[in-house]
Structures are given as structure tokens and as C-alpha cells.
Amino acid sequence: DAVNAVESRYEPYQPRTSPAPVAASVEAAIAGAAHDTLVALLPESKVSFDAALEETLRAITDDSRRGAGLEVGRTAAAAILTAREDDGANRTVDYTPGTKPGEYCPTPPDFKAAALVQWGKVTPFVLKSADQFRCPDPPAVNSPRAIADLEEVRAIGGTKSAVRTAEQSEIARYWYESSPQGWNRIAREVLAARQFDVWENARLFALLNLAMADGYIAGFDSKYHCNYWRPVTAIRAGGDSEWLSYLPTPPVPDYPSTHTVEGAAAAA
């Protein structure tokens, strides 16, 4: 929105109420929008954000263009932050872990409380509702599909697996990080080979991250609606009481995998 306010080429997400100042610096607009948004959401890192803003602005020698761009960026940031201030991201939602087969409960080794219980209730950015594309129910606990999947995870996914290859371990570690980190890095790599301008880059990153933001919201709506147990819980309940996953199990229900939700949204 900050880039588009300097020169309107695409439909904005939050419409501006006044025209952008003439000859605003797009670099200053980007810096101002990024800085104010980051400071609002991550105030503990304000010093480093201030330094980054100062470094960017120092390279813009035209005072009027710099000031106009900064105003544009800060206006765009304020509009987004105002629109999202009551979106439910900080809401507290009560949650009781399951006790029956197939129901999610905290997982070893640390048995952390369920995380992000409220995330499926966050107001989406683009979707009509968080449950617009809710997943079908997961396979029944005793179904052939569930049993086969569980056996595959038990054999390949454990800390002491004798059949997992070095390549499979590397793939697991590669994709283990936060999806927005990985997919924004992939987007930067893709864009580096193309002659896109600032507007095209900004639009691509905006669409990418809107899709992933709603992917997480929709994914967590389905997660806590289905409330499906993790493989480690099922495997231990089946008699392998010391089994642990190769990489730590995140403290959220298993189904659906939000890593694959994010991957599909980002790739598309």
C-alpha cells in the first residue's frame, strides 16, 4: 500500500483517504511503512529498526522527497495497524486437552500447553471466514489409512529410526523452519532472476504474505476443529512408550499440517 500510494498501479488493500504528496520517495515510503509496523508489533527491537530507518533515509538526498515518502509510508502502516488492532490475535481462548484416542493432548518430551488456540478465530485478511475452506475430517483412528500412515511415521520419523536416509533427515531439517521465513526467502531467490520493478516486487510479496497469513488462520481453524492427536501420542499409546519424533513435535493438533497449507498457498 505504501508503494502503491506513491504511484497507483494496483488496487490497494486499505484505500487511502488523501492523495500522496507529489514526488514522494518510494524508498522512504517503504522504509517508513516497514519501520512503523515493526516497531508496533516488535517494540523490543525498536533500536535496531530505528537504525535501519536512519540508514535508508540517509541515502535519500532530496529532503522534500524523503519527507513526503516517509509520510506516505507511515500513513499506510497506520491504516493497516488500525484495521487489524481488534483482529483477535491476542485473544485468550480456553482449551481443554483431549483424553480419548484420536484427540490432541500435549506431547513429549516437554508436554507444552497447546499453542495458538486463538489463531483460527483471528479475522482473516482476504477470506470471507476462517472456516471457508475447512478441511474434511481426518481418517478414523482405526482406519487402514490412519494405521498405515502411523506405521510410516513410526518407522521413518523417530529419533532412532534405522530406515530413514541421510537425505530424508536433511529434507526434514530444511523444511522444519517457520514457513513464512522459508517461503519469503524462496520468493527473493525467484525475484532475483527477474527484472521486476519495486511495484511488482511489492505486489508479489503482499499477495504471498496475505495468502500465508490466511493460510495459517484457516489452518488453525481446522486444526482445533478436528483436534487430532499427534503421531507421537498414537505411537506411544500403541505400545512404543519411549518413541520420540526426530525433530520436536510442535504443540498444536496434527491435522491439517499447516506447513503444507502454507506451502500450497505460497507456491500457488
Side-chain angles (χ1 to χ4, degrees), residues 75-97:
T75 299
I80 289 286
L81 290 166
T82 298
R84 300 299 301 182
E85 61 186 355
D86 295 318
D87 65 3
N90 296 320
R91 181 184 295 135
T92 299
V93 175
D94 292 332
Y95 176 77
T96 302

Side-chain angles (χ1 to χ4, degrees), residues 177-234:
E177 73 172 341
S178 157
S179 292
Q181 266 186 291
W183 280 103
N184 275 286
R185 186 185 306 114
I186 290 168
R188 289 198 301 273
E189 293 290 333
V190 169
L191 288 173
R194 287 162 171 76
Q195 300 301 311
F196 281 8
D197 64 18
V198 172
W199 278 259
E200 291 170 310
N201 284 342
R203 178 175 181 271
L204 185 144
F205 278 111
L207 292 175
L208 171 67
N209 286 285
L210 285 170
M212 288 197 290
D214 274 7
Y216 268 132
I217 293 168
F220 272 84
D221 167 79
S222 284
K223 271 188 182 295
Y224 281 101
H225 172 74
C226 296
N227 203 42
Y228 201 60
W229 63 0
R230 284 283 182 173
V232 64
T233 306

